[in-house]
């Protein structure tokens, strides 16, 4: 049975059992404890936490998930994926243990022609929490599973909670016996390779405190309503139903391995465990990377972006180690699209953008590998120069951590160079890094905010937003909240939160910051500083009471600051103009990756590889302003999500939209986006759009900033005044300023070059004096001196090379230590004759470096670096002389 069919049967089974089918949430979810969605229940957490009343009592979904706890273990075991599909059914205070067990058993064992999976009941084993005999009794009674195939386990295996205080409960896990060829008999407690877990049923009934029942601690309470949360691993069920040995050989994963075999010329499953792991890494990571990019993640140096970057780089590394010399990312991502798109159409509709991001990162990493190879060669030369055979673990770790150079390639290249690597030292540093990351992640984990105070109002329904039609609205004060507690009244000087039944003030969303305004009544004036949403539906006004007293139940007037709103609509509509202009100039791959707009200003982030040219920036600005001048009408309408997308409306990646969406259309096909923000009535009201600049905010993400309206005019007036001032100073008309400035810059470059030549000549003029002061130590001539003040960098290297050359074939060593800008640069140079006597520049650096707090490296004939302690220069020069004397005997 194909994986897409497994998904369909699961959803059909639960829909027929009265469940509402809910679409998968984005992998990027607004949860402070999660980097990515990692379980099917994540989007339902507000219901389980009691923060919102669920709109249905039963739900079912197939949630896309990513878990990245131990990326380096992927492929080593054959049952884990970083990306996987979690099919689940959920009950919110409806059915409980018996209902969950019955529904799961029916789907697993029901014959194929009746819509089930047709799995042999005799091969099913289950586990239950050691303190939950009720679950075991239900399995015996409902499913007829005999006592010997029901096993009890402790909380570490069979109790679930969120890792922080909140709901939790015992689990019952379903296992499939793959047969004696896969391991020992005795059930899951003996061998979890033979007995494969395919489904976990969580009976959510407890309130967990600071200490988890998973570790034997008692729950602190009982949930008012008992809930069900289950998760069936789609890939694992595919393994069972397709009769393959592991998840990497199922129908949606094996084709990527086949492509890797084709590109590398090596076979999978031919007996090389190392090769098989690399094939699995490629297949797993290619799927995960494509899904992450599809949901709007871009490679970066921290957070989600760093995870994606690691995945893509591991693909490149694995392919290289398998023998692929040419770029291969395009082929892998294409296979992922072809296999996964039937369930995830975004992989097809947004393929070019996904491909461009993945291929761009591959190209960048291949360049990193080239530079990394050079860094490795330097490190290897230093090791050999010191007469050693082992590259330090710290060096290998620096290559891996700082430069992104994989340890596998370091090991391979070390072997080719006749060296080894201190792998224990490297692994130790890696373990320390992982522990720091885990500690940091744990520190960032937080208890879920107590939103109980808002629940009553969330459950009432959405705050009526009147701001599309009016700026002043009559409203009733539903509640006043201070520090998470409802209060009956607030007086002058108090900062509180106000909940109204209706409001014209825009709550921050979609990149548009919140409105400001006032709440007034008889003898009352309250300044509204901010408006935020709770559960995406409840408007919470953050206010300061300036006059009078506000009380729950008051009838008031809520009023938006009209000037603020006018500027805000210009900024938001201007953002749409810039987005449309970007896509017109750059093409459809310039996809929104975030935005911020406020009165008079906007910034817009978009997916793009490489800096924009001046011509492109000018074209974008021109297209946006042409649309402004055209005075396009701005139309808004509400429709269903599918229809909006079919019309070509743009959506923001990572955003979870409801069934009904608001579409903002400006100029017909020119701009059409899903948007809940406030906008101008006609495009001309935006005023001039002036791009301020364009920059990088991460790998594959660019940012443009712009002024609109009066802010744009003020900026241009300031620029005009600045240009006029420069023209006056240069005594030329404004239109001639660029040419004149270019002339001055060229003259300055010539003058700087002449100055450098003069400076270099002066430095080299002193070379003869150094030669005359050379010391003879044994059969060697040594120049060990402090360099002239201010001489550093290339000048110091040039001087040392010149001095060394003046000794001809006589063995000579030159050591010059300078002092410039608070640093202590140095150069060591040894000619061929000195090297033949045993002098190596790197050895001398090791001898004197500690005296000046410095380190450096290079080759036997030349080494350089820098220190930090100029007071140690005399001691450093003495150390040089002592070391040369030792070498000279």
């Amino acid at each position: 049975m194909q994986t897409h069919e497994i998904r369909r049967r699961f959803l059909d089974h639960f829909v027929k059992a009265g469940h509402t089918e809910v679409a998968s949430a984005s992998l990027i979810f607004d949860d402070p404890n999660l980097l990515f969605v990692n379980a099917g229940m994540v989007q339902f957490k507000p219901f389980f936490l009691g923060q919102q009343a669920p709109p249905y009592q039963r739900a079912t979904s197939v949630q896309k998930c990513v878990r990245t706890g131990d990326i380096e273990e992927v492929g080593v075991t054959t049952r884990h994926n970083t990306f996987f599909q979690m099919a689940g059914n959920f009950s919110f205070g409806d059915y409980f243990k018996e209902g969950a067990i019955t529904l799961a058993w029916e789907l697993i064992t029901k014959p194929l022609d009746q819509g089930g999976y047709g799995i042999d009941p005799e091969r099913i084993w289950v586990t239950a929490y050691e303190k939950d005999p009720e679950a075991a009794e239900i399995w015996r009674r409902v499913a007829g599973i005999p006592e010997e195939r029901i096993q009890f386990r402790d909380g570490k295996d069979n109790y679930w909670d969120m890792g922080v205080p909140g709901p939790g409960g015992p689990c019952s896990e379903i296992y499939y016996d793959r047969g004696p060829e896969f391991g020992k008999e005795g059930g899951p407690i003996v061998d979890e390779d033979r007995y494969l877990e395919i489904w976990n049923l969580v009976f959510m009934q407890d309130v967990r405190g600071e200490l988890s029942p998973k570790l034997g601690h008692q729950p602190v309470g009982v949930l008012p309503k008992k809930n069900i949360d289950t998760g069936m691993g789609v890939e694992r069920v595919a393994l069972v139903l397709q009769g393959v040995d592991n998840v990497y050989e199922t129908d949606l994963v094996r084709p990527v391995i086949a492509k890797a075999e084709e590109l590398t010329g090596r076979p999978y499953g031919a007996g090389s465990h190392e090769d098989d792991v690399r094939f699995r890494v490629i297949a797993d990571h290619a799927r995960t990377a494509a899904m992450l990019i599809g949901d709007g993640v871009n490679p970066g140096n921290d957070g989600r972006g760093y995870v994606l970057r690691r995945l893509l780089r591991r693909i490149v590394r694995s392919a290289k180690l398998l023998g692929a010399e040419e770029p291969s990312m395009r082929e892998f991502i294409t296979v992922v699209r072809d296999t996964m798109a039937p369930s995830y159409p975004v992989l097809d509709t947004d393929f070019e953008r996904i491909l461009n991001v993945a291929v761009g990162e591959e190209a960048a990493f291949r360049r990193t590998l080239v530079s990394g190879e050079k860094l490795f060669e330097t490190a290897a030369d230093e090791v050999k120069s010191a007469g050693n055979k082992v590259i330090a673990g710290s060096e290998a770790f620096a290559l891996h951590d700082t430069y992104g150079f994989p340890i596998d390639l370091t090991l391979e290249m070390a072997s080719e160079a006749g060296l080894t690597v201190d792998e224990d030292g490297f692994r130790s540093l890696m373990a320390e890094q992982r522990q720091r990351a885990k500690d940091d992640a744990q520190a960032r984990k937080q208890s879920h905010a107590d939103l109980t105070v808002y629940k009553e109002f969330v459950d009432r329904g959405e705050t009526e937003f009147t701001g599309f039609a009016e700026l002043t609205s009559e409203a009733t004060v539903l509640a006043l909240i201070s520090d998470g507690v409802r209060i009956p009244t607030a007086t002058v000087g108090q900062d509180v939160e106000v909940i109204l039944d209706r409001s014209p003030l825009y709550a921050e969303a979609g990149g548009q910051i919140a409105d400001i305004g006032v709440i007034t009544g008889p003898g009352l004036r309250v300044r509204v500083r901010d408006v935020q949403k709770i559960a995406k539906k409840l408007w919470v006004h953050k206010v300061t009471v300036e006059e009078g007293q506000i009380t729950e139940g008051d009838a008031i007037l809520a009023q938006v600051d009209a000037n603020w709103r006018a500027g805000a609509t210009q900024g938001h509509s201007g953002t749409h103009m810039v987005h449309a202009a970007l896509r017109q100039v750059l093409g459809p791959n310039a996809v929104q990756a975030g935005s911020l707009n406020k009165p008079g200003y906007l910034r817009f982030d978009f997916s793009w590889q490489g800096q924009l040219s001046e011509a492109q920036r000018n074209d974008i600005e021109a297209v946006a302003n042409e649309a402004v001048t055209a005075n396009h009408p701005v139309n808004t309408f509400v429709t269903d999500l599918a229809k909006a997308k079919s019309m070509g409306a743009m959506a923001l990646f990572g955003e979870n939209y409801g069934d009904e969406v608001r579409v903002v259309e400006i100029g017909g096909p020119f701009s059409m986006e899903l948007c809940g923000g406030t906008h101008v009535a006609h495009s001309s009201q935006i005023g001039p759009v002036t791009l301020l600049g364009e920059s990088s905010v991460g790998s594959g993400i660019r940012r443009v900033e712009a002024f609109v309206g009066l802010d744009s005019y003020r900026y241009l007036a300031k620029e005009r005044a600045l240009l006029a001032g420069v023209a006056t100073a240069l005594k030329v008309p404004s239109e001639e300023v660029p040419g004149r400035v270019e002339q001055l810059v060229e003259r300055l470059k010539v003058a700087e070059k002449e100055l450098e030549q003069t400076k270099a000549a002066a430095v080299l003029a002193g070379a003869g004096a150094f030669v005359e002061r050379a010391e003879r130590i044994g059969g060697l001539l040594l120049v060990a001196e402090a360099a002239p003040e201010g001489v550093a960098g290339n000048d110091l290297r040039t001087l040392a090379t010149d001095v060394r050359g003046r000794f001809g074939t006589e063995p000579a060593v030159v050591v010059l230590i300078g002092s410039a800008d608070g640093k202590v640069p140095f150069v060591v140079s040894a000619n061929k004759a000195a090297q033949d006597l045993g002098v190596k520049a790197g050895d001398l650096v090791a001898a004197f470096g500690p005296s000046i707090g410095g380190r450096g490296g290079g080759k036997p004939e030349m080494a350089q670096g820098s220190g930090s302690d100029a007071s140690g220069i005399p001691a450093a020069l003495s150390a040089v002389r002592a070391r040369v004397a030792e070498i000279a005997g």
Side-chain angles (χ1 to χ4, degrees):
M1 184 182 299
Q2 299 297 293
T3 300
H4 301 301
E5 176 67 10
I6 294 171
R7 286 169 44 97
R8 189 187 65 78
R9 287 183 178 233
F10 185 93
L11 294 171
D12 286 351
H13 173 74
F14 284 101
V15 167
K16 289 175 183 176
H19 294 65
T20 297
E21 182 179 338
V22 181
S24 171
S26 166
L27 287 166
I28 308 169
F29 203 75
D30 184 18
D31 188 312
N33 294 317
L34 293 177
L35 200 60
F36 302 110
V37 168
N38 62 358
M41 57 76 64
V42 169
Q43 65 172 315
F44 304 113
K45 282 169 71 171
F47 309 149
F48 289 132
L49 289 166
Q51 296 169 350
Q52 294 182 45
Y56 28 68
Q57 288 188 301
R58 301 180 175 196
T60 184
S61 70
V62 178
Q63 174 65 49
K64 47 190 176 183
C65 300
V66 168
R67 292 180 186 171
T68 57
D70 269 316
I71 290 177
E72 310 239 354
E73 297 302 313
V74 168
V76 178
T77 69
T78 57
R79 63 179 188 272
H80 291 97
N81 299 116
T82 52
F83 170 82
F84 58 95
Q85 301 169 87
M86 186 64 77
N89 58 289
F90 309 90
S91 165
F92 310 107
D94 189 14
Y95 62 83
F96 196 50
K97 289 182 187 178
E98 184 162 337
I101 289 172
T102 301
L103 287 166
W105 182 251
E106 287 175 352
L107 176 60
I108 288 174
T109 60
K110 191 162 50 176
L112 296 177
D113 60 3
Q114 296 178 28
Y117 293 143
I119 294 176
D120 182 358
E122 299 300 317
R123 304 188 77 164
I124 298 297
W125 290 60
V126 297
T127 61
Y129 182 41
E130 60 187 3
K131 298 178 182 179
D132 185 22
E134 180 188 9
E137 188 278 327
I138 295 172
W139 279 113
R140 287 191 293 269
R141 175 167 50 83
V142 169
I145 295 184
E147 194 81 35
E148 61 270 18
R149 297 213 309 271
I150 302 174
Q151 299 183 324
F152 289 93
R153 306 184 86 166
D154 63 16
K156 290 182 180 179
D157 286 303
N158 277 68
Y159 193 94
W160 177 91
D161 60 43
M162 295 184 183
V164 292
C171 307
S172 183
E173 296 172 325
I174 303 173
Y175 290 81
Y176 175 78
D177 180 4
R178 303 167 72 195
E181 65 270 30
F182 290 96
K184 302 174 184 176
E185 291 192 19
I189 63 173
V190 173
D191 191 330
E192 287 198 9
D193 282 323
R194 170 174 171 172
Y195 300 91
L196 182 72
E197 180 193 345
I198 58 173
W199 205 334
N200 186 15
L201 314 180
V202 178
F203 311 129
M204 206 179 293
Q205 61 191 41
D206 302 326
V207 177
R208 180 208 133 145
E210 290 296 331
L211 301 176
S212 175
K214 291 174 71 70
L215 303 177
H217 302 285
Q218 290 298 310
V220 297
V222 177
L223 289 174
K225 289 185 178 180
K226 296 179 179 180
N227 307 305
I228 288 295
D229 158 28
T230 85
M232 185 195 84
V234 173
E235 281 75 12
R236 293 192 181 188
V237 172
L239 180 161
V240 171
L241 297 182
Q242 293 172 17
V244 295
D245 288 349
N246 59 68
V247 293
Y248 296 96
E249 295 177 11
T250 55
D251 61 315
L252 300 188
V253 185
R254 186 61 174 85
V256 184
I257 293 178
K259 177 57 69 173
E261 289 178 298
E262 175 188 327
L263 295 174
T264 63
R266 291 197 194 178
Y268 173 71
S272 170
H273 177 68
E274 291 79 8
D275 280 0
D276 286 352
V277 169
R278 290 162 187 156
F279 279 117
R280 293 170 194 150
V281 165
I282 291 170
D284 174 89
H285 290 4
R287 290 204 325 156
T288 307
M291 298 302 294
L292 288 176
I293 299 169
D295 273 1
V297 181
N298 284 279
N301 291 325
D302 54 29
R304 298 181 178 109
Y306 179 66
V307 171
L308 175 58
R309 172 160 285 167
R310 281 191 68 196
L311 295 174
L312 291 169
R313 289 186 168 191
R314 279 169 58 83
I315 294 171
V316 177
R317 177 199 70 181
S318 298
K320 182 178 177 64
L321 291 174
L322 285 171
E325 294 299 328
E326 297 300 318
S328 50
M329 191 69 68
R330 178 180 298 275
E331 285 79 3
F332 297 146
I333 299 298
T334 300
V335 174
V336 172
R337 176 200 61 185
D338 294 344
T339 55
M340 298 289 290
S343 293
Y344 302 100
V346 67
L347 294 175
D348 190 26
T349 59
D350 208 23
F351 179 66
E352 286 303 317
R353 183 186 65 84
I354 295 170
L355 186 64
N356 286 342
V357 172
V359 170
E361 183 65 19
E362 176 187 39
F365 186 47
R366 288 176 70 87
R367 291 192 295 271
T368 295
L369 291 178
V370 171
S371 60
E373 287 170 355
K374 294 178 180 177
L375 291 167
F376 171 84
E377 289 170 3
T378 299
D381 286 343
E382 289 181 5
V383 169
K384 291 179 179 178
S385 297
N388 296 325
K389 293 286 186 180
V390 181
I391 294 175
S394 57
E395 290 284 357
F397 180 75
L399 282 166
H400 168 84
D401 190 55
T402 306
Y403 302 104
F405 198 71
I407 183 60
D408 289 353
L409 293 184
T410 299
L411 293 170
E412 185 179 272
M413 293 176 66
S415 176
E416 292 172 353
L419 302 173
T420 60
V421 177
D422 175 14
E423 290 190 64
D424 290 341
F426 172 82
R427 304 293 174 194
S428 175
L429 291 169
M430 283 295 295
E432 290 177 16
Q433 184 193 58
R434 285 199 192 97
Q435 189 59 49
R436 285 195 298 271
K438 288 180 180 178
D439 292 343
D440 179 60
Q442 188 61 39
R444 285 188 280 107
K445 266 198 171 186
Q446 52 189 276
S447 297
H448 295 276
D450 186 358
L451 302 179
T452 307
V453 69
Y454 305 106
K455 183 178 184 297
E456 173 188 343
F457 307 102
V458 171
D459 290 349
R460 283 190 184 187
E462 191 166 353
T463 301
E464 181 186 353
F465 177 60
T466 60
F468 291 136
E470 59 189 29
L471 297 183
T472 301
S473 299
E474 295 179 348
T476 300
V477 177
L478 298 181
L480 302 173
I481 298 170
S482 178
D483 296 326
V485 177
R486 284 182 70 172
I487 58 176
T489 188
T491 58
V492 174
Q494 278 189 270
D495 292 336
V496 296
E497 295 178 349
V498 178
I499 297 175
L500 304 175
D501 61 338
R502 58 203 305 268
S503 175
L505 290 112
Y506 184 78
E508 181 176 347
Q512 180 178 337
I513 66 174
D515 280 335
I516 61 174
V518 292
I519 293 173
T520 60
L524 172 69
R525 182 179 177 85
V526 176
R527 173 67 56 188
V528 180
R529 299 175 280 105
D530 189 17
V531 189
Q532 294 294 323
K533 289 183 184 181
I534 299 293
K536 297 186 177 182
K537 63 196 306 186
L538 179 69
W539 267 235
V540 176
H541 304 74
K542 300 186 177 185
V543 309
T544 301
V545 182
E546 295 183 339
E547 296 177 20
Q549 176 176 289
I550 186 169
T551 301
E552 185 175 309
D554 280 353
I556 54 87
L557 283 178
Q559 183 175 348
V560 180
D561 182 311
N563 288 332
W564 176 275
R565 171 65 73 80
T569 59
Q570 287 178 317
H572 203 154
S573 297
T575 304
H576 286 226
M577 293 290 93
V578 170
H579 187 191
L582 278 163
R583 292 174 63 81
Q584 187 166 317
V585 173
L586 302 178
N589 290 328
V591 176
Q592 180 175 358
S595 67
L596 172 72
N597 50 80
K598 59 183 181 179
Y601 168 86
L602 67 91
R603 76 176 189 221
F604 188 86
D605 298 343
F606 59 100
S607 302
W608 194 254
Q609 299 290 336
Q611 184 177 357
L612 301 187
S613 67
E614 182 179 358
Q616 286 173 322
R617 294 196 301 272
N618 290 339
D619 287 346
I620 291 164
E621 188 176 73
V623 170
N625 280 298
E626 286 169 4
V628 168
T629 306
N631 197 28
H632 293 307
V634 178
N635 299 313
T636 62
F637 57 91
V638 175
T639 185
D640 64 82
L641 180 60
K643 185 175 180 181
K645 288 185 174 181
S646 70
M647 295 170 64
M650 298 296 297
L652 181 64
F653 288 105
E655 184 70 26
N656 292 302
Y657 295 95
D659 293 333
E660 286 196 337
V661 292
R662 181 170 181 262
V663 179
V664 176
E665 176 191 66
I666 306 177
F670 179 75
S671 172
M672 187 183 297
E673 301 191 34
L674 303 186
C675 180
T678 61
H679 290 272
V680 298
H682 291 84
S683 62
S684 61
Q685 294 171 339
I686 297 170
V689 177
T690 302
L691 291 190
L692 305 179
E694 179 260 347
S695 60
S696 170
V697 290
S699 177
I701 299 293
R702 308 297 297 182
R703 170 175 293 171
V704 292
E705 298 176 86
F707 282 138
V708 296
L710 282 176
D711 288 87
S712 179
Y713 168 78
R714 295 185 187 106
Y715 173 78
L716 292 172
K718 180 181 175 182
E719 291 290 296
R720 183 176 61 187
L722 179 63
L723 178 61
V726 174
T728 299
L730 295 177
K731 299 179 181 179
V732 296
S734 295
E735 62 269 18
E736 294 182 16
V737 165
R740 187 61 182 273
V741 170
E742 187 176 344
Q743 291 175 6
L744 290 174
V745 169
E746 191 58 38
R747 287 170 60 184
L748 181 60
K749 287 180 180 178
V750 171
E752 288 177 342
K753 186 174 182 180
E754 291 174 349
L755 183 60
E756 287 295 323
Q757 291 172 343
T758 301
K759 183 180 175 182
V763 168
L764 294 177
F770 283 109
V771 174
E772 292 175 2
R773 294 194 296 270
E775 308 170 52
R776 182 171 291 280
I777 300 179
L780 286 165
L781 287 170
L782 172 65
V783 173
E785 296 194 29
E789 188 174 350
V791 178
N794 290 334
D795 290 339
L796 192 63
R797 184 185 180 103
T798 300
L799 179 59
T801 302
D802 187 73
V803 172
R804 183 189 70 184
R806 297 189 181 214
F807 289 109
T809 60
E810 194 167 1
V813 183
V814 179
V815 180
L816 298 179
I817 306 177
S819 179
D821 301 323
K823 297 181 180 179
V824 187
F826 58 80
V827 174
V828 179
S829 185
N831 63 15
K832 182 66 168 61
Q835 293 173 52
D836 291 342
L837 294 177
V839 177
K840 295 177 181 177
D843 284 354
L844 296 184
V845 171
F848 73 78
S851 299
I852 56 173
R855 59 176 295 181
K859 297 185 178 181
E861 68 271 16
M862 178 73 73
Q864 63 187 93
S866 181
S868 57
D869 184 7
S871 66
I873 291 178
L877 296 174
S878 296
V880 169
R881 294 186 183 96
R883 178 60 180 145
V884 170
E886 182 182 333
I887 294 172

